[in-house]
Amino acid sequence: MNIEHILKQVEAGRLSAKQAAKAIGKPHVDLGFAKVDTARLHRRGFPEVIFCPGKTTEHIIEIMRALRKAGQNVFATRASAEQWAGIRKAIPKAVYHKAAGAIVVDVVKPSKPVGMVAVVSAGTSDIPVAEEAALTAERMGAKVERVYDVGVAGLHRLMSHVELLRTARAVVVVAGMEGALPSVVGGLIDKPIIAVPTSIGYGTSMRGVAALLAMLNTCVPGISVVNIDNGFGAGVAAAMINRVGEKQEE
Amino acid sequence: MNIEHILKQVEAGRLSAKQAAKAIGKPHVDLGFAKVDTARLHRRGFPEVIFCPGKTTEHIIEIMRALRKAGQNVFATRASAEQWAGIRKAIPKAVYHKAAGAIVVDVVKPSKPVGMVAVVSAGTSDIPVAEEAALTAERMGAKVERVYDVGVAGLHRLMSHVELLRTARAVVVVAGMEGALPSVVGGLIDKPIIAVPTSIGYGTSMRGVAALLAMLNTCVPGISVVNIDNGFGAGVAAAMINRVGEKQEE
Amino acid sequence: MNIEHILKQVEAGRLSAKQAAKAIGKPHVDLGFAKVDTARLHRRGFPEVIFCPGKTTEHIIEIMRALRKAGQNVFATRASAEQWAGIRKAIPKAVYHKAAGAIVVDVVKPSKPVGMVAVVSAGTSDIPVAEEAALTAERMGAKVERVYDVGVAGLHRLMSHVELLRTARAVVVVAGMEGALPSVVGGLIDKPIIAVPTSIGYGTSMRGVAALLAMLNTCVPGISVVNIDNGFGAGVAAAMINRVGEKQEE
Amino acid sequence: MNIEHILKQVEAGRLSAKQAAKAIGKPHVDLGFAKVDTARLHRRGFPEVIFCPGKTTEHIIEIMRALRKAGQNVFATRASAEQWAGIRKAIPKAVYHKAAGAIVVDVVKPSKPVGMVAVVSAGTSDIPVAEEAALTAERMGAKVERVYDVGVAGLHRLMSHVELLRTARAVVVVAGMEGALPSVVGGLIDKPIIAVPTSIGYGTSMRGVAALLAMLNTCVPGISVVNIDNGFGAGVAAAMINRVGEKQEE
Amino acid sequence: MNIEHILKQVEAGRLSAKQAAKAIGKPHVDLGFAKVDTARLHRRGFPEVIFCPGKTTEHIIEIMRALRKAGQNVFATRASAEQWAGIRKAIPKAVYHKAAGAIVVDVVKPSKPVGMVAVVSAGTSDIPVAEEAALTAERMGAKVERVYDVGVAGLHRLMSHVELLRTARAVVVVAGMEGALPSVVGGLIDKPIIAVPTSIGYGTSMRGVAALLAMLNTCVPGISVVNIDNGFGAGVAAAMINRVGEKQEE
Amino acid sequence: MNIEHILKQVEAGRLSAKQAAKAIGKPHVDLGFAKVDTARLHRRGFPEVIFCPGKTTEHIIEIMRALRKAGQNVFATRASAEQWAGIRKAIPKAVYHKAAGAIVVDVVKPSKPVGMVAVVSAGTSDIPVAEEAALTAERMGAKVERVYDVGVAGLHRLMSHVELLRTARAVVVVAGMEGALPSVVGGLIDKPIIAVPTSIGYGTSMRGVAALLAMLNTCVPGISVVNIDNGFGAGVAAAMINRVGEKQEE
Amino acid sequence: MNIEHILKQVEAGRLSAKQAAKAIGKPHVDLGFAKVDTARLHRRGFPEVIFCPGKTTEHIIEIMRALRKAGQNVFATRASAEQWAGIRKAIPKAVYHKAAGAIVVDVVKPSKPVGMVAVVSAGTSDIPVAEEAALTAERMGAKVERVYDVGVAGLHRLMSHVELLRTARAVVVVAGMEGALPSVVGGLIDKPIIAVPTSIGYGTSMRGVAALLAMLNTCVPGISVVNIDNGFGAGVAAAMINRVGEKQEE
Amino acid sequence: MNIEHILKQVEAGRLSAKQAAKAIGKPHVDLGFAKVDTARLHRRGFPEVIFCPGKTTEHIIEIMRALRKAGQNVFATRASAEQWAGIRKAIPKAVYHKAAGAIVVDVVKPSKPVGMVAVVSAGTSDIPVAEEAALTAERMGAKVERVYDVGVAGLHRLMSHVELLRTARAVVVVAGMEGALPSVVGGLIDKPIIAVPTSIGYGTSMRGVAALLAMLNTCVPGISVVNIDNGFGAGVAAAMINRVGEKQEE
């Protein structure tokens, strides 16, 4: 998409117009059913991630192979047991992270983790979403600290971890039901918080809408929110902030 | 409604069937546009209360007069400035409680307050609803303690009042926005909590729905909820609980 | 959380700062996946209760064991048949209350029930929620009277139990569909009412939202509401009110 | 629309095809901005009624004149004070029914009222909607009995009118807030009930949605519902039922 | 509930107070899990109907037996295949109406059908709901005419039945998706219409909410609406109107 | 429905009134459970299409046979595997289009495709809906070009197909999640766009409502929207526009 | 945006890289508060249109001047009376279309209208939205026929215009309340229909949501929908379809 | 709240228990109607900010004075014209930022801005929210670049600013209507994005809910969202991220 740079190459005669148009127009692998965005690594800082629900196992495997062929690490989220069974057979190097429901295949060795992202969860049932966030942030190069089951019904459980949270560059707070934990954490620290509502609850929880609304209406500024159960998105956001803390030159 | 008692009077010849039917059927004053429920004092423990919005000043005055004629204290909520202007002229003994937006006319001297109800509010803007709750509980015989502006963005403000809350018979917690305060208070004390969502907020607060949902989905059991901005209902509920603490014989 | 008391111990030299910080910070058992709040009994008046949905049988058993080890009675709600099958094998003393879908393991002998809480249900299908409320209140020390299937389509069924309801310290009213029963009961008695909407109904019942809205908008003050199907929360609230009637000294 | 009858006229030579097509196609007066449906009286049993909101006073007057010219009685609902001011000047025979907010101009003398429709309202604030229903039913030939302010908070007020309701051919029940009154009335009588939710209430009443949902989810069969505040529609439905009771021959 | 009549019996010495109280208080059979309202036949004109979803087969059978013992015809709606399998074994005289999903057991011979109710459906998929309405109206003594699959996408299909609809005393119109059929039918006839939205549709049909809203907002007065898929309620309402046409003396 | 033309036939004596009424009233085949609208081909330009969900396989087969008997091509959408299994046995000439989930039986040879409709999809999971649209447009005579998996996360994938889209007569854009693709496509071309939201997503996607709202609120005029997952409707709309480009004479 | 073409110019030396980047990057006039998209005329076929709500009169005037300076015709929708008052003073050539609430300033003489778009409205109150659609289509070169006040309560009013609708290239159907008109029109013709829900109605109309849902759930394929009250968007869509009918060569 | 540190002071005899309890319990100024959280500067990194709506001008002035007395800079958002009129009189040093609707009073000289936050808006009407975000980030020490009116209807306007956005530490993207801009920006850069939905739009925009849902359902990970119109919250979040880029030592 860096059009100006490519245009300069054309002007300098280093690229033909056709090559330039191709460079701008098709930095992806076309599999027919999918156009794998191999340029994403350079544009966004991490490879395209495969969201498994609604895809056939065969399609997931083909996309994984296309990414590997492009020399990019594979990360697939929310894989079902059946999908995993098919993938492990086809790609023996694939590794399953059960708590997070995610699959990874490493082509390039991950770099040493830097900085620190804290992932906090309100209840035991919120752990799968929290693990998705934690694993994602780790895949993107962050050191991660987990603080689980510290909901507001017993505030003292949270209080004993406040010092740890203060040393993080970004904090992911995962909660279902009334979604009050991000506000309480936010009142105690001075770091960016990514709040993740979960679908844990019943009745008027409306599969996470109650928690989402609470988080959007927090009286504590500096908290931003992702979709219900979107541990992956929160992990990416926190890891991006963590990188901001790393790159001084920009 | 105590049918059995009335029937015994009939059987004993102390009441004719016609008198009995009347006793069961019409314990109210018919004003045409309204049937003032003068039996409510005996049935429910406090007189009918006048909800002012949507009523003409003339109608409110007529109902007030009917209640006074029946020897009952008058309590009118959410009176507008115009309504109050008309009422004070017609009923000089009427008293306006500005913070709560309520009008009282005492015919019978209120009894000495008993027990204790605490009314807690999250923010300054929640005070009108909190005051409606407090005044209502006082009108129904409870001693009331107010703890205002102790929202979760600065938990220490709440912490310094926890001991007081522990001595209450019932606690009313009023909050808008993310409505997290009742959960936090509930985690700290062992008394019944009536949570009141307020319409304070904007955007996805949806005029109090976000706070309501948070309160209904609290992870802290023992908290029950009333309608948005319903300080009056919360005050009645808390005062009824306060009375339970008073009446040992039942 | 009684910070002032702990601080006095430090000042008096009976506690070191480290001990004090620990006392404030960790009154819970850390199982890794869960932080069992063993201090809740003292802080809230009853032990942490296990909400089974979304937890593995293994986790439930571990939490049960942690509570028993801490000398606290176990109460687990909404256990599935599979969860119960696993638990009865692991903890032979566990007892299953089928109508309420709850499991109890008694370590300490329950005290003699006091006062009285009435649990009223509108229809036959509302009974599981009503039983959850009734059993919860009983576990928390209340004598409970059940009045089931007295919906508004046949008011006379309710009328013959009004005298009983008048002798309760608190009344739980459980109803689905149009949720009108709490208003009708509330018009007849002078005790605090906890209304529980149920998900019974179809179409615009919207899994209990219609009943919930009706209850929140009741024209009868003194009624407060808990989440849809939340018999447990209503039972706790009613039992707390029941205790207020017991403790005169506070 | 009675196509077969018209076709027979054509076959018999009493109508040309052009006349027939016209008879089928244009039984209305075209005012440019409106096509006044003068055939409605014959097709539906009553003339087109003018819903005033969103129409200019000039347009209302023009439509009124078109109806009068067609020899039909005029009925206009929800007229504002400004609209009424303009109309009374233009059409001196117009009569304003303040409680119902409606205007009538009689060209044909109304027939003697028959049968009986009862209109019941829960609260004083519901009266404008109830009056719209009552006046509409009267305009359509029904005798109407009004029973106002008999909400469920004081059931005895309703009970003393049950015998009257039992003699109605149809009962309109108007209620806001929790909308419980139709269910209670429905449990006591055996006549068709038209329930009208009103926008009276606040917070989760959501301008009448709570009452509407309660009415749709009634546990009492035989109750049907119209739009929020739609007294007019309820009046028409009840009057149509009242007519069914009149016409034996059909 | 006819209190006055019973009281007169007491005054005349024909009933003791205890008997009178009992007469008022318990006109039902108490099965523990259910209070079968055997007085409903006299109060409402038809026996209590059993709504099967959420009830165990055993409970349904017990309620059926209680009704039969009281000499009342049994009508059970929305019975599943499993429930029917159990019931047919226990009550060999039971008859299953497959299209309507309903079970009947006749103790008393049904009277000869009178008047006429038309049941109209928009699409083939709406037929189960339409059949529930039709069978219900028949059970309550109405002659029923069925007009199915006449949705607005092909108006001519409806037009050829308009004459039939005009001879009905009440018309039930069943439609899913955009729910436009009641408005179109309503524009053509002058009889009361009960509209039934169905959950047929997908996406923004929101399981019938779209059809419901269309019906509530009809521009054709005289249409009232029941809950989504509530064929039973519509059948009762139509049958009640049909009776109004029968009973001249009232 | 061309009433005037039929009437002229009657006037000219070429049709009896009875024949005319029949011609107007019944241009359909009555199967009892369904009234197959065989006139739709002439009135709307394509035969009635069978929507399979909620229909029994037997009913689908009967409708297919009725259409074939009337000499019309069969098109059935959203057929399940079971339905297809039954249909292929009964109608061996039936052909199943797996990607679109549709069945066709050709009686008349389809005409040569004309013009061009482009079908664009945002993600791989949106393909079934996109294929339903594409196949539908093809069945209705349009040449179709497919451009799949060009979502906004990698805009360059779309950019390389913009020239193709500019040559279409109508463009169908299919997207789930945030539904942003139609706005982006719409900003680049000058042709009518039919946007189709899909139910792909989770949490606040609310089964497609988020995408639908985005599309309805597009800042790019000229985009219109169909129901969630309604590939069929979008295909019909696009094919109709495509025909407008074909027919010069109108 | 035609990148390939511009790149060829660079390769051919006819453009420098800087010029090319500028050509791609800034085809707009930057006013600071707004970037007027003067390239839209060429890219989309009509100039940027000014949506007046929320803009100051000064800003509107500046944008109008920028468009005129660029030689483009000005079209501004939903101008308030105040905005119009300011604009007419600043730009004397501006013309106000009252019924549509729109302002036009013609710099270039509009071309002769071609083809035909029909605009149909259900009720008198829907006319402002219908007029916005009609004027927009006219501005974009279409001949427009208006058919107003033909709602489903009196179908015969619509029937007499069916032949006209059949000769349109596209039909815009505007309706509020139950939004049934597009389905009825769609069942009668074979042309693309753009349905526009309006906010006309009350109660459960929810400011047009009921009409919108009805339109999205139409059982008649080939109907697509725009936002509530979005006459402008419907006019653009219809005009674009009208153009498809004009341009044979594409 | 740094309990451990305070406890150590007690152990060392430098603080009495009473002093310690006070230190923990009351780091705020109690004004009766408000408890100004003067400790927030140290705990959260910036002083308490005054949200003006719903507060009286008198109360705002008192809170401003309390903050100034505590030596803290004052920042008040969403001040109305009336509030500003009162404040400027009482506090002559106050400065009003009109575009953002905010008031500042500087007690301490602000530090030199560091890093860079970009604030992007989709349309002209979104500017007030964007300005609130920009001013907030500036108040919290960030250098801010503004890129306004670059909505997706004309993508080239955005494209020419992509390089600037890539040099930001955090990007705030403000958009109403379909809320597509954050996804498009997110697809092009690798920095954390805070998306702010605005209430700009009409009909199904539902005062910003459509934009909010689009943003929560973005297919681009790393985007998080704040409440509708919450420019302040987005500014705080972006400024906190900006600080993370500054502080290397943590």
Side-chain angles (χ1 to χ4, degrees), chain F residues 43-44 186-187 191 221 224 250, chain G residues 43-44 186-187 191 221 224 250:
Chain F
R43 207 171 67 247
R44 294 270 293 153
K191 292 300 164 41
S224 59
E250 279 187 89
Chain G
R43 207 171 66 245
R44 295 270 292 152
K191 293 299 165 41
S224 59
E250 280 189 87

Side-chain angles (χ1 to χ4, degrees), chain G residues 53-75:
Chain G
K55 295 204 177 65
T56 64
T57 306
E58 290 66 37
H59 283 181
I60 296 171
I61 292 167
E62 275 195 66
I63 298 172
M64 285 179 163
R65 285 177 173 151
L67 283 166
R68 293 178 75 195
K69 209 165 157 183
Q72 301 188 356
N73 284 346
V74 172
F75 186 27

Side-chain angles (χ1 to χ4, degrees), chain F residues 120-136:
Chain F
V120 180
S121 90
T124 303
S125 311
D126 300 318
I127 291 179
V129 175
E131 274 299 309
E132 190 182 87
L135 182 60
T136 299

Side-chain angles (χ1 to χ4, degrees), chain D residues 149-168:
Chain D
D149 197 25
V150 293
V152 297
L155 270 185
H156 54 283
R157 299 179 297 192
L158 172 66
M159 288 304 178
S160 55
H161 296 86
V162 170
E163 286 315 310
L164 176 72
L165 301 183
R166 285 191 176 135
T167 64

Side-chain angles (χ1 to χ4, degrees), chain B residues 114-119 133-134 137-138 142-146 167-172 234-235 237-243:
Chain B
V114 297
M116 198 267 277
V117 164
V119 178
E138 286 170 345
K143 187 159 170 292
V144 172
E145 296 284 349
R146 290 154 171 88
T167 64
R169 285 186 186 160
V171 179
V172 173
M240 280 179 159
I241 296 171
N242 193 55
R243 278 186 196 169

Side-chain angles (χ1 to χ4, degrees), chain B residues 29 31-36 48 50-67 74 76 83 86-87 90-91, chain D residues 98-99 123-128 131 148-149:
Chain B
V29 178
L31 301 175
F33 63 90
K35 296 183 175 52
V36 183
E48 186 162 351
I50 306 164
F51 181 73
C52 295
K55 296 205 176 65
T56 64
T57 306
E58 290 65 36
H59 283 182
I60 296 170
I61 292 168
E62 276 196 66
I63 298 172
M64 285 180 165
R65 284 178 173 150
L67 282 166
V74 172
Q83 288 172 329
I87 291 162
I91 305 180
Chain D
K98 193 184 167 184
T124 303
S125 311
D126 301 318
I127 290 178
E131 273 299 307
Y148 290 169
D149 197 25

Side-chain angles (χ1 to χ4, degrees), chain E residues 134-154:
Chain E
L135 182 59
T136 299
E138 286 171 346
R139 296 286 301 168
M140 287 181 62
K143 188 160 171 292
V144 172
E145 296 284 348
R146 289 154 171 88
V147 181
Y148 290 169
D149 197 24
V150 294
V152 297

Side-chain angles (χ1 to χ4, degrees), chain B residues 2-249:
Chain B
N2 191 336
I3 294 172
E4 204 148 4
H5 177 74
I6 293 172
L7 285 167
K8 271 183 189 147
Q9 303 288 100
V10 177
E11 196 179 31
R14 282 194 291 271
L15 276 180
S16 72
K18 204 175 167 184
Q19 287 171 313
K22 201 176 150 193
I24 294 166
K26 281 198 179 137
H28 59 260
V29 178
D30 203 327
L31 301 175
F33 63 90
K35 296 183 175 52
V36 183
D37 186 1
T38 47
R40 195 166 294 181
L41 175 59
H42 306 289
R43 207 171 66 245
R44 295 269 293 151
F46 55 94
E48 186 162 351
V49 171
I50 306 164
F51 181 73
C52 295
K55 296 205 176 65
T56 64
T57 306
E58 290 65 36
H59 283 182
I60 296 170
I61 292 168
E62 276 196 66
I63 298 172
M64 285 180 165
R65 284 178 173 150
L67 282 166
R68 292 178 77 194
K69 210 165 157 184
Q72 302 188 354
N73 283 348
V74 172
F75 186 29
T77 62
R78 306 207 189 170
S80 67
E82 290 89 334
Q83 288 172 329
W84 168 231
I87 291 162
R88 74 189 313 179
K89 230 180 277 179
I91 305 180
K93 290 183 83 169
V95 176
Y96 189 53
H97 290 249
K98 195 183 166 186
I103 297 168
V104 303
V105 194
D106 280 341
V107 177
V108 184
K109 210 190 128 174
S111 55
K112 195 171 151 284
V114 297
M116 198 267 277
V117 164
V119 178
V120 179
S121 90
T124 302
S125 311
D126 302 317
I127 290 178
V129 175
E131 274 299 309
E132 189 183 88
L135 182 60
T136 300
E138 286 170 345
R139 295 289 298 168
M140 287 181 63
K143 187 159 170 292
V144 172
E145 296 284 349
R146 290 154 171 88
V147 181
Y148 291 169
D149 197 23
V150 293
V152 297
L155 270 184
H156 55 286
R157 299 179 297 192
L158 172 66
M159 288 303 178
S160 55
H161 296 87
V162 169
E163 286 314 309
L164 176 71
L165 301 183
R166 284 190 177 136
T167 64
R169 285 186 186 160
V171 179
V172 173
V173 184
V174 180
M177 303 181 79
E178 82 267 62
L181 189 58
S183 291
V184 171
V185 173
L188 299 171
I189 67 171
D190 66 346
K191 292 300 164 43
I193 290 175
I194 311 296
V196 192
T198 71
S199 51
I200 297 302
Y202 60 92
T204 54
S205 128
M206 291 191 272
R207 301 174 179 267
V209 171
L212 170 73
L213 291 177
M215 291 171 183
L216 287 169
N217 286 283
T218 178
C219 56
V220 179
I223 296 175
S224 58
V225 186
V226 296
N227 198 4
I228 297 164
D229 289 335
N230 189 5
F232 170 62
V236 171
M240 280 179 159
I241 296 171
N242 193 55
R243 278 186 196 169
V244 168
E246 206 59 19
K247 296 175 191 169
Q248 211 59 351
E249 66 278 14

